[in-house]
Amino acid sequence: MLNGRCMWMITEVMLDVKIVSQVLTSSVNEEKSSGDQSEDDGRWHYYLRMEEDTDYGNRFSSLCYINDHVGFLGTIKSSPSDFIVIEIDEQGQLVNKATDELLYKMNNILPEPNNFAKKTKLDLQNLSFEGGHNQELRTFTRCSSGDQNHQSTLESEATIDDGASKCEEETADVLGSLVDKKTNELLNQFAYNIKEKWNSETELVGPSPELSLGRILDKNQRASLHSAIRQKFPYLITVGKKSEIVVKPNFEYKELCHLVSEEEAFDFFKYLDAKKENSKFTFKPDTNKDHRKAVHHFVNKKFGNLVETKSFSELNYSADNPNVVITVKFREKAYKHRKRSHLECQERKVIYTAFTLRKENLEMFEAVGFLAIQLGVIPSDFSYAGLKDKKAITYQAMVVRKVTPERLKNIEKEIEKKRMNVFNIRSVDESLRLGQLKGNHFDIIIRNLKKQINDSADLKERILEAIENVKTKGFVNYYGPQRFGKGRKVHTDQIGLALLKTEMVKAIKLFLTPEDLDDPVNRAKKHFLQTEDAKGARSLMPEFKVRERAVLESLHRFGVTEEGCIQAWFSFPHSMRIFYVHAYSSKIWNEAVSYRLATYGSRVVEGDLVCLDGDVDDEHFPNGNVHLVTKEEESANTYAMHQVVLPILGYNIQYPKNKVGQWYQEILSRDGLHTCRFKVPALKLNVPGCYRQILKCPHNLSYQLIKDHEIDVKTEDSCISEATLSLFISFDLDSSCYATVCLREIMKHDV
């Protein structure tokens, strides 16, 4: 290895690799090729590209460090218990904790999910709350067409006032039970501001204002909140974005207010939202035929698929006073269809069971395959928020379809034999999505601590310096090695590239390429590649290799053709198919970051992309939050390095407007993707792309130096000295960040 004070350390895995150039210790001239550039401000250190990428480990030996400490040596994952990963859910809770207390707290705020009928609208007449919330909620009948023939005008003004006030109170009660106090206040203020602007006849300038109420995971609670908001504020609309609810102005309401009174518009939109079968809504009497025609036209144009309108003369009609009313009622066919769909949905209601999976030293897909066999389902019936390490003890949330909680509990003893446990078992309403987590918590022991070669400083001081540096300055947010698989011959990103180029046969053969090992799995793969005998290869493939066996079964049925390989890919769940494409995008992102840092260093420069949202904990923020840095902003140092983002490939991203953007285009051309639309219709894959911050910091970091005899030593190498120091370190990372990458920055060598 190089001297500990050098700007880079080369690990043992690189001994046979030809280094193209040496590490630079100062800025280089512009004439240097961009791959060999470095701008050194005393903190940023870059390792240069190697001539060949024949060894997978070399990819991670060629990445950058950003801190200038020397680091230290050590061993991670001496045993699975040295590396504990606990998922943090979207509410910020560790998933290994029992959910009873959490559910109790949630129940005091939100209605019990199972007590809602699966309707698209809130049925307030039948809504009640379990346990402590068994307070009956009065309905909106007085103000939302509970009568068979709803009238906008009533005989008594007092009745109107009384009904309206009761309705508002009841609506407030419902909203108060669905959102917290702060969100309720923000919603009321947003609604007030919209009405004020409309009442002052001030035009809304720019994009339509909107208010996000955040993510609500339970589908029935979202439906209830949608309806409750529209009942209280008919001049607002609600839009669902995945699990998020966004509130916007209802411009159709404003348009109707130009034709009828605001009271009528208010009641009409509440009538529409309530969707009460066989109910009618009647506008106020109108003597103007052209005006009535305009109202008919508006209602039928906007809502003609839902309602129909008719004009009727009033009972006291006379030639001198031709008062005519417009009555609106729901179309009968719409109701029949809605009722039938609702009944069918009830009959076909899919069972979803959530649980926390604890696994030890087990590859995740192998764990899912084993669970699928035990439960009599297929791997694609399982959903999860993220992948977890193999050589570790990991805890993660999962959801399985078509399995009851009781059935899952029945296999607990059987799966313990495979070093798995399931707990926090409960019924839920939907699957999990990839990325549906806040982050991960890590408890890690680094053993056999040593100083870098030729480093004369105190080891404890080196460790303290390294941890504090990364705690303050962060680390380069690379994708870790586990993103790309452990294979030496084929990596997951190569399969992803083949899929993006719609080379289906090549992708399948890459997936089934054997390693240079003589074991049943690789013998089966070798047999297939040599003979294309899918049936014979499947018979050789061990049963625990569920994915490989499923692919071979499909190839046996459909043949090793383009179409047959497409069918074989459909034996994987969507999350698995997209995983390979994401692996390719991740590899390119890693390369892009190294190029960006080698080219511009720690400066935020013109053409960089920055995220304007200061609190970003995932990759999925909209294009509207991404800003292109101007020359003036570069000169004024307007933005900090932690705000800089780079795009992850897809069809809905923008590229930097500098050398980095040019680099992306060159790479796409190199890989034959210059015309790629990042959609693979044959596999139902759409890759919109997103953005990822270059730098990340660990949260809640703590550590302790201990001697090995003070802790339970279960290493695979029993020769470690009892006097050897070990480091216990604990921290949280945002979703899609890698602990091994953070540790690499701390230790200054590949882990």
Side-chain angles (χ1 to χ4, degrees), residues 76-77 79-85 389 391-394 442-445 482 739-740 743:
I76 70 164
K77 298 188 178 182
S79 74
S81 59
D82 281 357
F83 203 93
I84 298 175
V85 187
D389 299 74
K391 194 172 183 181
I393 294 175
T394 67
F442 298 89
D443 291 320
I444 298 168
I445 297 175
Q482 53 270 55
T740 48
L743 292 176

PDB file of all heavy atoms in Angstrom, residues 76-77 79-85 389 391-394 442-445 482 739-740 743:
ATOM      1  N   ILE A  76     -14.389  -5.488   8.679  1.00  0.00           N
ATOM      2  CA  ILE A  76     -15.826  -5.469   8.963  1.00  0.00           C
ATOM      3  C   ILE A  76     -16.431  -6.812   8.570  1.00  0.00           C
ATOM      4  O   ILE A  76     -15.840  -7.577   7.809  1.00  0.00           O
ATOM      5  CB  ILE A  76     -16.555  -4.315   8.230  1.00  0.00           C
ATOM      6  CG1 ILE A  76     -16.606  -4.565   6.718  1.00  0.00           C
ATOM      7  CG2 ILE A  76     -15.938  -2.968   8.548  1.00  0.00           C
ATOM      8  CD1 ILE A  76     -17.608  -3.694   5.999  1.00  0.00           C
ATOM      9  N   LYS A  77     -17.583  -7.085   9.116  1.00  0.00           N
ATOM     10  CA  LYS A  77     -18.333  -8.304   8.812  1.00  0.00           C
ATOM     11  C   LYS A  77     -17.525  -9.562   9.120  1.00  0.00           C
ATOM     12  O   LYS A  77     -17.558 -10.542   8.369  1.00  0.00           O
ATOM     13  CB  LYS A  77     -18.815  -8.318   7.353  1.00  0.00           C
ATOM     14  CG  LYS A  77     -19.780  -7.182   7.020  1.00  0.00           C
ATOM     15  CD  LYS A  77     -20.392  -7.343   5.638  1.00  0.00           C
ATOM     16  CE  LYS A  77     -21.393  -6.237   5.333  1.00  0.00           C
ATOM     17  NZ  LYS A  77     -22.024  -6.391   4.028  1.00  0.00           N
ATOM     18  N   SER A  79     -18.322 -11.430  11.346  1.00  0.00           N
ATOM     19  CA  SER A  79     -19.458 -12.336  11.478  1.00  0.00           C
ATOM     20  C   SER A  79     -20.714 -11.516  11.218  1.00  0.00           C
ATOM     21  O   SER A  79     -20.684 -10.283  11.306  1.00  0.00           O
ATOM     22  CB  SER A  79     -19.503 -12.953  12.884  1.00  0.00           C
ATOM     23  OG  SER A  79     -19.934 -11.985  13.814  1.00  0.00           O
ATOM     24  N   PRO A  80     -21.837 -12.156  10.879  1.00  0.00           N
ATOM     25  CA  PRO A  80     -23.061 -11.399  10.621  1.00  0.00           C
ATOM     26  C   PRO A  80     -23.470 -10.496  11.781  1.00  0.00           C
ATOM     27  O   PRO A  80     -24.006  -9.399  11.569  1.00  0.00           O
ATOM     28  CB  PRO A  80     -24.108 -12.494  10.369  1.00  0.00           C
ATOM     29  CG  PRO A  80     -23.321 -13.645   9.850  1.00  0.00           C
ATOM     30  CD  PRO A  80     -22.019 -13.598  10.589  1.00  0.00           C
ATOM     31  N   SER A  81     -23.195 -10.937  13.033  1.00  0.00           N
ATOM     32  CA  SER A  81     -23.610 -10.129  14.187  1.00  0.00           C
ATOM     33  C   SER A  81     -22.782  -8.859  14.326  1.00  0.00           C
ATOM     34  O   SER A  81     -23.131  -7.979  15.120  1.00  0.00           O
ATOM     35  CB  SER A  81     -23.507 -10.959  15.472  1.00  0.00           C
ATOM     36  OG  SER A  81     -22.177 -11.406  15.661  1.00  0.00           O
ATOM     37  N   ASP A  82     -21.713  -8.727  13.559  1.00  0.00           N
ATOM     38  CA  ASP A  82     -20.915  -7.496  13.574  1.00  0.00           C
ATOM     39  C   ASP A  82     -21.519  -6.410  12.689  1.00  0.00           C
ATOM     40  O   ASP A  82     -21.010  -5.285  12.667  1.00  0.00           O
ATOM     41  CB  ASP A  82     -19.483  -7.780  13.080  1.00  0.00           C
ATOM     42  CG  ASP A  82     -18.618  -8.418  14.143  1.00  0.00           C
ATOM     43  OD1 ASP A  82     -19.105  -8.596  15.277  1.00  0.00           O
ATOM     44  OD2 ASP A  82     -17.454  -8.749  13.844  1.00  0.00           O
ATOM     45  N   PHE A  83     -22.553  -6.758  11.935  1.00  0.00           N
ATOM     46  CA  PHE A  83     -23.122  -5.794  10.987  1.00  0.00           C
ATOM     47  C   PHE A  83     -24.644  -5.913  11.061  1.00  0.00           C
ATOM     48  O   PHE A  83     -25.245  -6.787  10.436  1.00  0.00           O
ATOM     49  CB  PHE A  83     -22.629  -6.100   9.569  1.00  0.00           C
ATOM     50  CG  PHE A  83     -22.685  -4.938   8.626  1.00  0.00           C
ATOM     51  CD1 PHE A  83     -21.595  -4.105   8.450  1.00  0.00           C
ATOM     52  CD2 PHE A  83     -23.837  -4.666   7.898  1.00  0.00           C
ATOM     53  CE1 PHE A  83     -21.644  -3.031   7.567  1.00  0.00           C
ATOM     54  CE2 PHE A  83     -23.903  -3.608   7.014  1.00  0.00           C
ATOM     55  CZ  PHE A  83     -22.794  -2.775   6.847  1.00  0.00           C
ATOM     56  N   ILE A  84     -25.265  -5.057  11.840  1.00  0.00           N
ATOM     57  CA  ILE A  84     -26.708  -5.122  12.069  1.00  0.00           C
ATOM     58  C   ILE A  84     -27.375  -3.944  11.357  1.00  0.00           C
ATOM     59  O   ILE A  84     -26.972  -2.787  11.531  1.00  0.00           O
ATOM     60  CB  ILE A  84     -27.039  -5.106  13.573  1.00  0.00           C
ATOM     61  CG1 ILE A  84     -26.435  -6.344  14.240  1.00  0.00           C
ATOM     62  CG2 ILE A  84     -28.548  -5.059  13.800  1.00  0.00           C
ATOM     63  CD1 ILE A  84     -26.589  -6.378  15.746  1.00  0.00           C
ATOM     64  N   VAL A  85     -28.366  -4.249  10.549  1.00  0.00           N
ATOM     65  CA  VAL A  85     -29.084  -3.238   9.768  1.00  0.00           C
ATOM     66  C   VAL A  85     -30.555  -3.273  10.161  1.00  0.00           C
ATOM     67  O   VAL A  85     -31.188  -4.338  10.091  1.00  0.00           O
ATOM     68  CB  VAL A  85     -28.956  -3.497   8.252  1.00  0.00           C
ATOM     69  CG1 VAL A  85     -29.550  -2.343   7.461  1.00  0.00           C
ATOM     70  CG2 VAL A  85     -27.510  -3.741   7.861  1.00  0.00           C
ATOM     71  N   ASP A 389     -28.243  -6.278   3.098  1.00  0.00           N
ATOM     72  CA  ASP A 389     -27.002  -7.043   2.971  1.00  0.00           C
ATOM     73  C   ASP A 389     -27.226  -8.522   3.256  1.00  0.00           C
ATOM     74  O   ASP A 389     -28.134  -8.897   4.002  1.00  0.00           O
ATOM     75  CB  ASP A 389     -25.958  -6.516   3.954  1.00  0.00           C
ATOM     76  CG  ASP A 389     -25.612  -5.057   3.701  1.00  0.00           C
ATOM     77  OD1 ASP A 389     -26.451  -4.202   4.030  1.00  0.00           O
ATOM     78  OD2 ASP A 389     -24.528  -4.793   3.183  1.00  0.00           O
ATOM     79  N   LYS A 391     -24.348 -10.743   4.348  1.00  0.00           N
ATOM     80  CA  LYS A 391     -23.546 -11.088   5.533  1.00  0.00           C
ATOM     81  C   LYS A 391     -23.819 -10.062   6.630  1.00  0.00           C
ATOM     82  O   LYS A 391     -23.016  -9.159   6.897  1.00  0.00           O
ATOM     83  CB  LYS A 391     -22.064 -11.152   5.192  1.00  0.00           C
ATOM     84  CG  LYS A 391     -21.242 -11.831   6.289  1.00  0.00           C
ATOM     85  CD  LYS A 391     -19.805 -12.059   5.872  1.00  0.00           C
ATOM     86  CE  LYS A 391     -19.046 -12.797   6.969  1.00  0.00           C
ATOM     87  NZ  LYS A 391     -17.633 -13.018   6.612  1.00  0.00           N
ATOM     88  N   ALA A 392     -24.958 -10.192   7.267  1.00  0.00           N
ATOM     89  CA  ALA A 392     -25.399  -9.247   8.291  1.00  0.00           C
ATOM     90  C   ALA A 392     -26.619  -9.832   8.980  1.00  0.00           C
ATOM     91  O   ALA A 392     -27.193 -10.832   8.531  1.00  0.00           O
ATOM     92  CB  ALA A 392     -25.735  -7.901   7.654  1.00  0.00           C
ATOM     93  N   ILE A 393     -27.010  -9.201  10.058  1.00  0.00           N
ATOM     94  CA  ILE A 393     -28.327  -9.443  10.651  1.00  0.00           C
ATOM     95  C   ILE A 393     -29.176  -8.239  10.263  1.00  0.00           C
ATOM     96  O   ILE A 393     -28.828  -7.099  10.595  1.00  0.00           O
ATOM     97  CB  ILE A 393     -28.249  -9.588  12.176  1.00  0.00           C
ATOM     98  CG1 ILE A 393     -27.466 -10.850  12.547  1.00  0.00           C
ATOM     99  CG2 ILE A 393     -29.647  -9.645  12.785  1.00  0.00           C
ATOM    100  CD1 ILE A 393     -27.235 -11.023  14.038  1.00  0.00           C
ATOM    101  N   THR A 394     -30.237  -8.470   9.522  1.00  0.00           N
ATOM    102  CA  THR A 394     -31.029  -7.361   9.005  1.00  0.00           C
ATOM    103  C   THR A 394     -32.487  -7.483   9.426  1.00  0.00           C
ATOM    104  O   THR A 394     -33.015  -8.587   9.576  1.00  0.00           O
ATOM    105  CB  THR A 394     -30.962  -7.295   7.465  1.00  0.00           C
ATOM    106  OG1 THR A 394     -31.615  -8.448   6.911  1.00  0.00           O
ATOM    107  CG2 THR A 394     -29.523  -7.264   6.986  1.00  0.00           C
ATOM    108  N   PHE A 442     -27.663   1.489  11.535  1.00  0.00           N
ATOM    109  CA  PHE A 442     -26.585   0.505  11.498  1.00  0.00           C
ATOM    110  C   PHE A 442     -25.878   0.430  12.853  1.00  0.00           C
ATOM    111  O   PHE A 442     -25.562   1.465  13.455  1.00  0.00           O
ATOM    112  CB  PHE A 442     -25.551   0.878  10.429  1.00  0.00           C
ATOM    113  CG  PHE A 442     -26.097   0.901   9.034  1.00  0.00           C
ATOM    114  CD1 PHE A 442     -26.663   2.051   8.511  1.00  0.00           C
ATOM    115  CD2 PHE A 442     -26.056  -0.231   8.237  1.00  0.00           C
ATOM    116  CE1 PHE A 442     -27.174   2.077   7.222  1.00  0.00           C
ATOM    117  CE2 PHE A 442     -26.567  -0.227   6.954  1.00  0.00           C
ATOM    118  CZ  PHE A 442     -27.129   0.929   6.447  1.00  0.00           C
ATOM    119  N   ASP A 443     -25.651  -0.784  13.326  1.00  0.00           N
ATOM    120  CA  ASP A 443     -24.789  -1.056  14.479  1.00  0.00           C
ATOM    121  C   ASP A 443     -23.664  -1.957  13.979  1.00  0.00           C
ATOM    122  O   ASP A 443     -23.901  -3.121  13.624  1.00  0.00           O
ATOM    123  CB  ASP A 443     -25.566  -1.753  15.601  1.00  0.00           C
ATOM    124  CG  ASP A 443     -26.585  -0.824  16.247  1.00  0.00           C
ATOM    125  OD1 ASP A 443     -26.266   0.363  16.447  1.00  0.00           O
ATOM    126  OD2 ASP A 443     -27.703  -1.284  16.545  1.00  0.00           O
ATOM    127  N   ILE A 444     -22.439  -1.445  13.944  1.00  0.00           N
ATOM    128  CA  ILE A 444     -21.337  -2.128  13.268  1.00  0.00           C
ATOM    129  C   ILE A 444     -20.128  -2.245  14.195  1.00  0.00           C
ATOM    130  O   ILE A 444     -19.809  -1.301  14.939  1.00  0.00           O
ATOM    131  CB  ILE A 444     -20.933  -1.355  11.991  1.00  0.00           C
ATOM    132  CG1 ILE A 444     -22.118  -1.308  11.011  1.00  0.00           C
ATOM    133  CG2 ILE A 444     -19.714  -1.980  11.315  1.00  0.00           C
ATOM    134  CD1 ILE A 444     -21.926  -0.346   9.860  1.00  0.00           C
ATOM    135  N   ILE A 445     -19.471  -3.392  14.146  1.00  0.00           N
ATOM    136  CA  ILE A 445     -18.205  -3.584  14.854  1.00  0.00           C
ATOM    137  C   ILE A 445     -17.094  -3.750  13.817  1.00  0.00           C
ATOM    138  O   ILE A 445     -17.171  -4.612  12.938  1.00  0.00           O
ATOM    139  CB  ILE A 445     -18.249  -4.808  15.781  1.00  0.00           C
ATOM    140  CG1 ILE A 445     -19.301  -4.610  16.883  1.00  0.00           C
ATOM    141  CG2 ILE A 445     -16.872  -5.042  16.409  1.00  0.00           C
ATOM    142  CD1 ILE A 445     -19.501  -5.823  17.770  1.00  0.00           C
ATOM    143  N   GLN A 482     -22.813  -3.801  -3.188  1.00  0.00           N
ATOM    144  CA  GLN A 482     -23.943  -4.731  -3.186  1.00  0.00           C
ATOM    145  C   GLN A 482     -25.005  -4.365  -4.217  1.00  0.00           C
ATOM    146  O   GLN A 482     -25.848  -5.175  -4.569  1.00  0.00           O
ATOM    147  CB  GLN A 482     -24.571  -4.832  -1.791  1.00  0.00           C
ATOM    148  CG  GLN A 482     -24.959  -3.532  -1.136  1.00  0.00           C
ATOM    149  CD  GLN A 482     -23.856  -2.922  -0.301  1.00  0.00           C
ATOM    150  OE1 GLN A 482     -22.763  -2.693  -0.782  1.00  0.00           O
ATOM    151  NE2 GLN A 482     -24.138  -2.642   0.944  1.00  0.00           N
ATOM    152  N   ALA A 739     -23.816   1.964   4.016  1.00  0.00           N
ATOM    153  CA  ALA A 739     -22.934   2.020   5.179  1.00  0.00           C
ATOM    154  C   ALA A 739     -21.495   1.696   4.782  1.00  0.00           C
ATOM    155  O   ALA A 739     -20.548   2.293   5.311  1.00  0.00           O
ATOM    156  CB  ALA A 739     -23.419   1.048   6.254  1.00  0.00           C
ATOM    157  N   THR A 740     -21.311   0.749   3.860  1.00  0.00           N
ATOM    158  CA  THR A 740     -19.947   0.385   3.453  1.00  0.00           C
ATOM    159  C   THR A 740     -19.242   1.568   2.784  1.00  0.00           C
ATOM    160  O   THR A 740     -18.025   1.731   2.924  1.00  0.00           O
ATOM    161  CB  THR A 740     -19.980  -0.812   2.485  1.00  0.00           C
ATOM    162  OG1 THR A 740     -20.962  -0.578   1.467  1.00  0.00           O
ATOM    163  CG2 THR A 740     -20.311  -2.091   3.220  1.00  0.00           C
ATOM    164  N   LEU A 743     -18.250   3.891   5.658  1.00  0.00           N
ATOM    165  CA  LEU A 743     -17.100   3.327   6.367  1.00  0.00           C
ATOM    166  C   LEU A 743     -15.824   3.462   5.540  1.00  0.00           C
ATOM    167  O   LEU A 743     -14.737   3.692   6.077  1.00  0.00           O
ATOM    168  CB  LEU A 743     -17.344   1.854   6.687  1.00  0.00           C
ATOM    169  CG  LEU A 743     -18.436   1.556   7.719  1.00  0.00           C
ATOM    170  CD1 LEU A 743     -18.618   0.053   7.858  1.00  0.00           C
ATOM    171  CD2 LEU A 743     -18.113   2.185   9.067  1.00  0.00           C
TER     172      LEU A 743
END
